[in-house]
Each structure stands twice: as C-alpha cells, then as structure tokens.
Amino acid sequence: MSDSKQTFQRRNKPVFEETQRWDTSNAIKATNLLIALFEDILSDQYIRVPHSLSAILWQEDKLKIDMERTFDENDPYIKEEALIAPIEHQTDRFWRRKITRLTYLACQFLLGLLTGKLPIHPQILTKEDLISPHTDDQFIILQQFLYKGISEDVARRFQSWEELKSQLQYLNKELFPPLDLSCTEKNLPQYPELMNKYKKMLSKAASSQTSAIPKVTAESYEVFFWIPKFESAYKIVINIPAEVIIGRKSNKDNTMKYATPIDKMRIHKNCQEKEGKYIYEILIEGDSCLSRKHARIVFPEKISEPPFCEDMGSTHGIIMFLDSQRNLTSSKNIINQNRMEFYCPKDQYLQLGNTSLRIRQLIGAQI
C-alpha cells in the first residue's frame, strides 16, 4: 500500500463528494486515516462530533473533523444527520456519546466513498456500485464487513477501534492478496548482467532532462519508457489533466532516413495545452511492433477518477499488468479500441509492442 502522502490530494474541503466514487484501495486508506483521527479524540468529546460525512475534511495530507456545532435545524450537518444517523438516535438521548456510533460513522464513510452516495440505505450495495474489480467471493467479504459495521443492532457493530482496524486490515488483505513472484522475478538473480543493465538504464533516465513541461504541478505522473534490448530509457513527467497519445515514429517522419539500424531507443515528444488539458504526443523509435497510433492514456484531474488506457486500433494491442512483477499469467489484454482503468494505485505497468511503461503518481512534487 502506498504512503498516504502519495495518494491523496491536499485540500481543505470535504473528503466525501456526492457522485464521486473512489477505488477500493484508496477508500480503505482514507478510512484508516479517519480511524486514526477518531482514536485521538477523547471520549468526552464524542458528543461534539457531527454524524455527518460532510464534516470530515482534508487538512493537508491528513483529515480533520469540523466540530463547530450550532445545533440549529438549518445547520447542514444537522440536516445530514437526519438522513444517515443510526437508528438509536430516535430512542437513546446519549447516542452521540458512544463509540459504536463513531465506528458506525467510519463504516458509513467507507461506503460513501465507494458508492459516491450518502449511505441513507446502508444495507444496499451491489458490485455495480464499485469502480474497482473484485471477485464474487471478495465482494461478499466486503458486504459482510459493512453489514457488521453499520448494523442496526448496536451489539453487532465494531465495539472498539482495535477491532475495527483489525477487520479493516483483514478486508484489505482479502481484496488485495499478494501475488506470487513471476518466473522472471524468481530467475533474475541468476542473471546479474541483466540487473546491471537495468541499473545502468535507470541511471541514464534519472540524469536525462525529458520532462515535456519544465514545471511540475502539485499532482502529476511520471511515465518511464524502456525497450529491454536497448540500454537507453526515458522518463517524462505528465501534468494533469492530460491526454497522452503514444505511437511509433517511422523513418518517413524524419528529414533523412537512417542508413544504419537503430541502436538505441529514441523518444520524440510534443505537448500543448488546450482547453485546460495537457495534450501529449509521444512517438518512439526502435520498436517495430508499435503501431503509428498505438495507445491513448487519459489522466483525469480528480484523484477519485482513475486513469485509463485505450487501444487506438493497434496491431498488437496493449498488455496491462496487475502487479509490479509484470506477471503475464495475471495480465489483461486491451485490443480492438477497448479501454481499461488502471489496476494498480501506486505503479501501473503496461506493455506496448516491445516498449515497457511504468506509470507512477507524483503528488506534492517539487521542481
């Protein structure tokens, strides 16, 4: 799991936004941040915590709770409480003071991030509500977690922060199980020359100035390109929101043809800003398996909307890897102008022809 500083936007506004769905991994991370915040609140202050998702705000890379209460019927927090408060608020005058009310709120927070809706009917959740792909068995485990966390029966809920954290950790492990090492990963130590070649390639890329735009925004992506048979590699920083078109640069595009075979990977890049979006065109030399227009990658402005990769009618399609080991047995193919959202919140690996890509999110980056 990536560090929260590299995952969340820095903003002082409500974390939950209606119609904005979060992927499961980031929603669990945000819920862990909320639990850590609740743990620091003394029990005699529980009454001051509004039962409202809108009262949970960003504060830099952490969360805070707006505890400024008016108890006026027109207070927006009070209006939201009337919709999502647990059933005991109707009969128990001390319902705000109990920890089970706050564990209930934490689970409602997770559900709200996943669905982009206020959890007015918390027991209703379908696979179509989620933007992250999960198996039927994983979805059942997620349902069971939420059924317990937001049960109408107070005695069935999570009774302490330790219990909630433990079950949330178990849920995360079940939804994102560690993958076995690929054959390449297992065998790489037997071939030290390949490791040395890769380190040399990384060193060259780090020292090269290949950013399409010199200024790095607060939120951006690093795209690392390499072709295994060459020692050259390139790193390009993508500002968002952005649309990136990747293809092959043929000899016809050059003023003169190369008389000798290409002995290294070359990248030609162009960027322009159009209607508030960065449009990148990246053409690669040295990979005959790339199509002239091979792939389109879109990076939305909002972090709650995952990036996606789209095939542009290429000959060989795109391979999207589901783990950092680039295990072909668990990869996905994108062909025939189809698209697919990124699977990995930290490092997403793609294969276009013979060209490999590693896409990494950069937040709070400095020049």
Side-chain angles (χ1 to χ4, degrees):
M1 185 180 296
S2 61
D3 185 83
S4 60
K5 292 183 180 180
Q6 297 182 340
T7 306
F8 303 122
Q9 296 188 68
R10 299 183 175 185
R11 52 170 86 170
N12 194 2
K13 60 182 294 188
V15 181
F16 168 78
E17 298 178 75
E18 286 200 69
T19 74
Q20 297 299 319
R21 294 184 294 170
W22 287 48
D23 65 85
T24 313
S25 177
N26 280 332
I28 290 175
K29 285 181 235 180
T31 304
N32 275 315
L33 288 180
L34 179 62
I35 293 171
L37 177 60
F38 279 145
E39 286 184 301
D40 289 337
I41 298 176
L42 299 176
S43 57
D44 58 1
Q45 294 181 310
Y46 286 175
I47 190 174
R48 296 183 54 205
V49 178
H51 199 92
S52 165
L53 302 190
S54 301
I56 303 168
L57 311 175
W58 288 112
Q59 187 177 55
E60 293 296 326
D61 54 357
K62 299 180 181 179
L63 304 185
K64 73 171 185 178
I65 296 182
D66 183 359
M67 294 203 224
E68 295 298 325
R69 306 296 307 281
T70 65
F71 292 99
D72 185 287
E73 62 180 9
N74 293 320
D75 187 318
Y77 297 161
I78 297 295
K79 290 183 177 180
E80 194 171 309
E81 280 186 1
L83 295 173
I84 69 171
I87 193 169
E88 64 266 22
H89 87 282
Q90 300 174 2
T91 56
D92 185 354
R93 59 184 294 195
F94 300 112
W95 69 280
R96 296 180 190 275
R97 302 176 183 270
K98 299 178 179 178
I99 192 172
T100 49
R101 191 269 292 196
L102 294 184
T103 61
Y104 183 96
L105 178 60
C107 293
Q108 285 183 307
F109 177 71
L110 173 61
L111 180 59
L113 294 183
L114 291 175
T115 63
K117 303 174 185 176
L118 277 176
I120 299 173
H121 304 292
Q123 304 299 331
I124 300 175
L125 177 68
T126 66
K127 287 187 72 173
E128 288 69 29
D129 290 325
L130 306 177
I131 62 173
S132 297
H134 294 297
T135 65
D136 291 341
D137 289 341
Q138 289 173 329
F139 179 69
I140 290 173
I141 294 173
L142 174 59
Q143 277 187 317
Q144 291 173 339
F145 175 89
L146 292 170
Y147 286 167
K148 178 176 176 63
I150 51 184
S151 171
E152 290 187 354
D153 184 351
V154 177
R156 292 187 57 193
R157 295 179 199 160
F158 298 111
Q159 302 295 307
S160 68
W161 297 122
E162 287 302 320
E163 181 187 9
L164 177 53
K165 287 192 298 182
S166 175
Q167 289 300 307
L168 194 60
Q169 183 179 15
Y170 169 77
L171 173 65
N172 189 70
K173 182 179 178 180
E174 290 297 314
L175 296 183
F176 305 99
L179 295 173
D180 293 335
L181 293 177
S182 65
C183 293
T184 301
E185 187 74 10
K186 292 177 181 178
N187 295 327
L188 190 59
Q190 302 177 29
Y191 305 98
E193 68 278 5
L194 294 180
M195 182 62 72
N196 292 333
K197 183 177 180 180
Y198 185 66
K199 288 181 179 179
K200 184 177 180 181
M201 181 174 64
L202 288 175
S203 177
K204 285 188 176 182
S207 61
S208 62
Q209 302 297 322
T210 57
S211 297
I213 296 180
K215 182 180 179 182
V216 179
T217 59
E219 291 122 24
S220 54
Y221 285 83
E222 170 195 279
V223 185
F224 188 83
F225 297 82
W226 75 95
I227 297 176
K229 70 176 181 178
F230 298 137
E231 290 187 354
S232 56
Y234 295 86
K235 180 173 65 177
I236 296 178
V237 174
I238 305 295
N239 290 329
I240 63 172
E243 180 176 313
V244 181
I245 307 297
I246 301 175
R248 171 175 54 85
K249 186 176 181 67
S250 69
N251 288 340
K252 295 180 181 179
D253 299 321
N254 301 321
T255 55
M256 60 182 300
K257 296 182 180 181
Y258 290 101
T260 57
I262 295 176
D263 59 354
K264 67 177 182 178
M265 178 187 186
R266 296 184 178 91
I267 281 188
H268 304 262
K269 57 191 177 300
N270 179 54
C271 177
Q272 57 180 327
E273 189 173 358
K274 185 177 181 181
E275 298 179 352
K277 179 189 292 186
Y278 295 98
I279 308 296
Y280 294 81
E281 183 182 43
I282 299 174
L283 300 179
I284 299 172
E285 288 185 74
D287 185 355
S288 59
C289 291
L290 276 179
S291 298
R292 294 292 296 276
K293 287 191 175 181
H294 198 110
R296 172 175 171 261
I297 304 176
V298 174
F299 299 96
E301 182 175 11
K302 294 184 178 180
I303 198 171
S304 56
E305 300 176 11
F308 65 84
C309 184
E310 179 181 67
D311 177 68
M312 299 184 72
S314 67
T315 303
H316 298 284
I318 302 164
I319 298 175
M320 177 174 282
F321 295 99
L322 308 189
D323 63 291
S324 60
Q325 283 78 39
R326 290 173 282 159
N327 193 335
L328 282 172
T329 61
S330 61
S331 62
K332 300 290 184 180
N333 290 323
I334 311 173
I335 58 175
N336 299 329
Q337 298 183 323
N338 289 319
R339 66 172 61 176
M340 189 174 296
E341 293 177 349
F342 283 16
Y343 274 83
C344 304
K346 186 176 181 181
D347 290 347
Q348 178 65 66
Y349 286 83
L350 301 172
Q351 185 82 24
L352 283 61
N354 294 319
T355 302
S356 298
L357 278 70
R358 184 195 70 193
I359 302 174
R360 174 174 293 179
Q361 188 177 24
L362 304 173
I363 292 186
Q366 301 294 326
I367 295 176

